[in-house]
Amino acid sequence: NNHLIERPSEEHDALLATLPLQPSITPHFNPMLLYKGFWIPKFMLQGALAMEQRFKPRPTDIILVSFPKSGTTWLKAMIFATLTRTSYPLDQHPLHTHNPHQCVPFIEREFATGRSQIIEAIPSPRAMSSHLPFSILPKTIADSDCRIVYVWRDPKDVLVSLWHFTEKIMGGADKIPTFEQLYDSLCQGVNGFGPIWNHVLGYWEESKRRPEKIIFLKYENILQEPVKHAKQLAHFIGCPYSEAEESQGVVEQIVELCSFQKLKNSDGNKSGISFAVPDQDISYSYLFRKGEAGDWKNHLTREMAERLDTIIEEKIKGFGLKI
Ligand code: A3P
């Protein structure tokens, strides 16, 4: 639909042309521009600038934010299933046939591709997502009653997940980065949406300032106690489970609907393609690999793990956050 295509702003193009540029070794983030201290894929930054001008938050909005490979797909499913649990019989829920990314769109991606109408057309309460650092999210979001759900994950497992994902999207090409190259780029903070420590810290600090508006969740903790976190999440996004629902086992059913095995084996996720970024078709199945904590032990030497931990610990020291 041509009438839906919005022209990129010339003013934004002029700004982007002044920013330091760096190729990304993960092709779906190539190229990256340094903006407000973060390496943002150019395409997503175009979306972020358009959002700054035109995104209109609603007080009931729910925005999931994550560093890529931290559990975005899972949390999209959890938020969407929680919000819509009474709209469908759970055995006919859209998550059986759709990828969570089809249910909860990335705001900056829709703005970057000229499809902001998709975001505007979602009925309230809207569930949307972003990978943008807090300092690059439009200020109107922080000034509104929007709720932000932030999920983070052990950076070592983020790295492992990103490496396998990169391998899949590059489909056996010669130029697949080595694990060591990807490791180095994460340690240096020069990778898509990095440095990872500043991404996490931005939301951590904001969650301490406004705990009623930003919830800060950790992938590993959700894996360990999914039911507890599902209840906490439902409460936070304004649709807590009733006593009747709890006694009927609805929380466990939602957790099951969003579980790794259920999502991985659903028809929509086995076959669906095109979770598109420019020139790259990403199959939905790539988003489900192992879904575990601690797979880094099979990929990093002890020295590599300790070095990365030390880098991150140094950076987050004094902020009251533990890896
Ligand atoms: P692994 O590669 O370690 O398995 P994102 O959605 O942010 O891209 O993150 C992808 C990671 O989340 C992958 O990690 C993927 O397997 C895992 N994942 C996807 N769905 C999940 C689920 N329902 N439960 C737990 N982990 C899930």
Side-chain angles (χ1 to χ4, degrees):
N1 269 347
N2 269 340
H3 68 279
L4 285 182
I5 304 293
E6 297 147 14
R7 280 172 199 280
S9 135
E10 283 172 17
E11 174 203 335
H12 291 167
D13 283 348
L15 167 67
L16 296 180
T18 66
L19 301 177
L21 181 136
Q22 171 85 33
S24 163
I25 55 175
T26 51
H28 61 308
F29 292 150
N30 196 35
M32 305 181 297
L33 297 173
L34 185 63
Y35 185 60
K36 298 189 180 176
F38 289 92
W39 288 105
I40 308 296
K42 183 178 177 192
F43 168 70
M44 297 299 183
L45 190 52
Q46 283 166 331
L49 296 176
M51 271 171 78
E52 181 78 46
Q53 285 188 324
R54 293 187 285 104
F55 177 69
K56 290 192 197 69
R58 300 178 196 162
T60 51
D61 281 346
I62 297 152
I63 305 177
L64 168 70
V65 188
S66 58
F67 190 84
K69 301 293 128 203
S70 302
T72 322
T73 312
W74 185 19
L75 269 292
K76 282 193 180 193
M78 285 296 295
I79 291 170
F80 186 68
T82 306
L83 281 179
T84 59
R85 66 184 185 267
T86 54
S87 311
Y88 312 90
L90 286 186
D91 61 349
Q92 288 161 41
H93 193 274
L95 284 171
H96 293 294
T97 46
H98 292 72
N99 181 272
H101 293 279
Q102 293 171 293
C103 306
V104 179
F106 278 108
I107 317 173
E108 62 268 19
R109 191 165 64 102
E110 301 305 350
F111 273 82
T113 50
R115 295 183 301 180
S116 57
Q117 284 85 349
I118 288 181
I119 298 293
E120 272 143 38
I122 308 174
S124 300
R126 296 187 294 187
M128 300 160 286
S129 83
S130 177
H131 283 320
L132 296 174
F134 185 72
S135 55
I136 300 180
L137 272 191
K139 293 286 163 291
T140 49
I141 292 180
D143 295 340
S144 74
D145 274 335
C146 282
R147 265 147 302 168
I148 295 179
V149 177
Y150 187 77
V151 62
W152 73 301
R153 184 181 190 187
D154 183 332
K156 302 189 289 303
D157 278 336
V158 169
L159 167 72
V160 169
S161 187
L162 181 62
W163 188 63
H164 285 283
F165 185 72
T166 303
E167 223 185 4
K168 280 183 194 146
I169 56 179
M170 293 189 75
D174 305 337
K175 293 200 186 108
I176 293 178
T178 63
F179 185 74
E180 284 70 20
Q181 283 174 315
L182 205 57
Y183 171 86
D184 284 340
S185 73
L186 194 89
C187 289
Q188 288 157 16
V190 186
N191 65 323
F193 300 96
I196 187 170
W197 49 86
N198 282 343
H199 200 284
V200 176
L201 276 181
Y203 285 94
W204 170 245
E205 286 293 280
E206 193 59 19
S207 77
K208 285 197 293 186
R209 271 193 290 273
R210 299 188 304 132
E212 65 302 335
K213 295 291 174 247
I214 301 195
I215 192 171
F216 197 79
L217 301 174
K218 189 152 195 225
Y219 180 88
E220 290 79 6
N221 297 347
I222 312 173
L223 267 187
Q224 239 171 17
E225 292 182 291
V227 170
K228 179 182 137 186
H229 285 91
K231 286 186 202 168
Q232 191 187 359
L233 182 66
H235 181 81
F236 178 77
I237 63 177
C239 47
Y241 290 99
S242 66
E243 272 179 32
E245 285 183 304
E246 287 200 17
S247 61
Q248 286 158 14
V250 177
V251 193
E252 287 78 3
Q253 287 164 23
I254 295 290
V255 166
E256 173 68 10
L257 175 68
C258 301
S259 69
F260 179 76
Q261 288 303 334
K262 270 275 155 37
L263 291 184
K264 182 184 169 86
N265 296 315
S266 80
D267 289 339
N269 291 326
K270 272 194 289 202
S271 56
I273 287 207
S274 195
F275 170 65
V277 289
D279 308 323
Q280 207 91 51
D281 273 343
I282 298 179
S283 164
Y284 289 140
S285 64
Y286 300 171
L287 296 162
F288 306 94
R289 190 185 65 91
K290 263 193 166 175
E292 290 170 6
D295 194 32
W296 61 265
K297 293 183 190 120
N298 301 316
H299 295 78
L300 278 85
T301 63
R302 232 175 86 190
E303 291 70 33
M304 288 170 94
E306 279 173 11
R307 187 174 150 234
L308 180 52
D309 280 347
T310 307
I311 291 173
I312 309 259
E313 276 158 14
E314 279 295 310
K315 301 286 187 186
I316 67 177
K317 200 164 69 187
F319 288 94
L321 187 63
K322 283 243 166 316
I323 306 177

